[in-house]
């Protein structure tokens, strides 16, 4: 499996290509906790921020947290400028810049946060389309945001594509849309508490880069 095996590529953003300084996430959850009248443990922050348990809404309900109130508090607690300044690229993320195929971003991160992050990291030109999931569009693993990105890229029905992400929702969205799914493991599976399946599983996008070089030799 190499980069040119696909006609187009889609990527998740948070946890896949970028991440944030843990101090920022802790500060956000402190503000969310103040709004909800409860504190969040280090483990709860890790699970919710990185989506380690999969879909976050069922996890919130399991912990007795009203999802609607949580998401409203989280969106209010996030500051776009602070978020952008606290965000960093993973070392292997420049794999995306080397792709000579249409590339899209499908992310749960909201537009008011995505735009400053892309500008701060100077990676906006890596992507031919950016889709932020919403209640109207749908949330991964719903394939609707993936279909929207494919429509923006104007790829044909016979085009072969792939979606790469760090969580089960990304792989689920890929499969539900009829695409291959690449899981890049950014967390120890023991911390996640599960193993995420995928058509391909890599520790780093550098593995794909090396495979492409071997194939071209």
């Amino acid at each position: 499996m190499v980069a040119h095996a696909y006609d187009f590529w889609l990527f998740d953003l948070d946890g896949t290509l970028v991440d944030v300084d843990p101090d920022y996430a802790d500060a956000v959850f402190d503000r969310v906790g103040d709004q909800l009248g409860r504190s969040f443990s280090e483990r709860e922050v890790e699970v919710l921020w990185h989506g380690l348990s999969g879909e976050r809404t069922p996890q919130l309900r399991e912990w007795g947290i009203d999802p609607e109130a949580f998401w409203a508090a989280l969106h209010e607690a996030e500051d776009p400028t602070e978020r952008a300044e606290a965000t960093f690229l993973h070392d292997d993320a420049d794999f995306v810049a080397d792709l000579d195929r249409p590339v899209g971003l499908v992310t749960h991160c909201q537009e008011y946060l995505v735009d400053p992050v892309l500008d701060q990291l100077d990676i906006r030109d890596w992507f031919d389309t950016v889709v932020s999931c919403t209640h109207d569009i749908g949330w991964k693993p719903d394939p609707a945001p993936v279909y929207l990105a494919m429509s923006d890229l104007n790829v044909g029905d016979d085009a072969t594509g792939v979606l790469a992400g760090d969580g089960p929702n990304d792989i689920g969205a890929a499969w539900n849309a009829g695409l291959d799914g690449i899981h890049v493991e950014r967390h120890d599976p023991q911390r996640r508490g599960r193993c995420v399946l995928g058509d391909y599983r890599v520790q780093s996008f550098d593995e794909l880069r090396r495979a492409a070089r071997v194939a071209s030799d």
Side-chain angles (χ1 to χ4, degrees), residues 139-144 146 163 167-182 196-199:
W139 304 90
K140 295 176 290 186
D142 185 336
V146 178
L163 191 158
N169 290 341
D170 302 310
I171 304 303
W175 287 347
N176 288 337
L179 308 182
D180 281 357
I182 297 176
V196 179
L197 299 178
D199 294 289

Side-chain angles (χ1 to χ4, degrees), residues 2-191:
V2 295
H4 60 256
Y6 297 102
D7 298 316
F8 66 95
W9 283 72
L10 300 176
F11 291 88
D12 172 53
L13 181 62
D14 290 323
T16 299
L17 302 178
V18 306
D19 221 319
V20 301
D21 186 318
D23 288 343
Y24 172 80
D26 290 341
V28 167
F29 271 84
D30 283 345
R31 293 194 286 269
V32 172
D34 290 342
Q35 288 287 326
L36 300 183
R38 79 182 302 276
S39 60
F40 289 86
S41 69
E42 181 179 343
R43 177 60 178 169
E44 287 175 330
V45 172
E46 180 184 33
V47 168
L48 291 173
W49 187 267
H50 297 291
L52 297 187
S53 60
E55 293 188 64
R56 293 170 175 86
T57 293
Q59 182 66 76
L60 289 167
R61 291 197 177 105
E62 181 180 325
W63 289 341
I65 302 171
D66 178 68
E68 187 173 339
F70 172 81
W71 292 116
L74 180 67
H75 292 155
E76 183 178 341
E78 289 236 56
D79 179 270
T81 300
E82 291 180 8
R83 171 69 172 265
E85 291 175 348
T87 302
F88 61 89
L89 277 170
H90 282 291
D91 291 340
D92 58 342
D94 60 353
F95 168 78
V96 179
D98 294 335
L99 292 170
D100 61 352
R101 300 287 190 273
V103 177
L105 196 63
V106 181
T107 174
H108 281 186
C109 192
Q110 296 301 282
E111 187 174 347
Y112 77 103
L113 298 172
V114 173
D115 285 342
V117 165
L118 298 183
D119 291 338
Q120 174 78 18
L121 298 176
D122 194 23
I123 60 173
R124 183 177 293 277
D125 62 351
W126 287 7
F127 307 103
D128 301 298
T129 186
V130 176
V131 173
S132 288
C133 298
T134 66
H135 291 301
D136 291 333
I137 294 173
W139 304 90
K140 295 176 290 186
D142 185 336
V146 178
Y147 289 142
L148 178 57
M150 292 167 62
S151 176
D152 290 346
L153 294 178
N154 197 30
V155 295
D157 293 338
D158 58 346
T160 58
V162 62
L163 191 158
D166 70 311
N169 290 341
D170 302 310
I171 304 303
W175 287 347
N176 288 337
L179 308 182
D180 281 357
I182 297 176
H183 176 244
V184 57
E185 185 58 271
R186 301 298 193 189
H187 305 278
D188 188 326
Q190 293 184 340
R191 296 293 296 169

Side-chain angles (χ1 to χ4, degrees), residues 2 4 211-217:
V2 295
H4 60 256
R213 289 170 180 165
V214 170
S216 64
D217 289 343

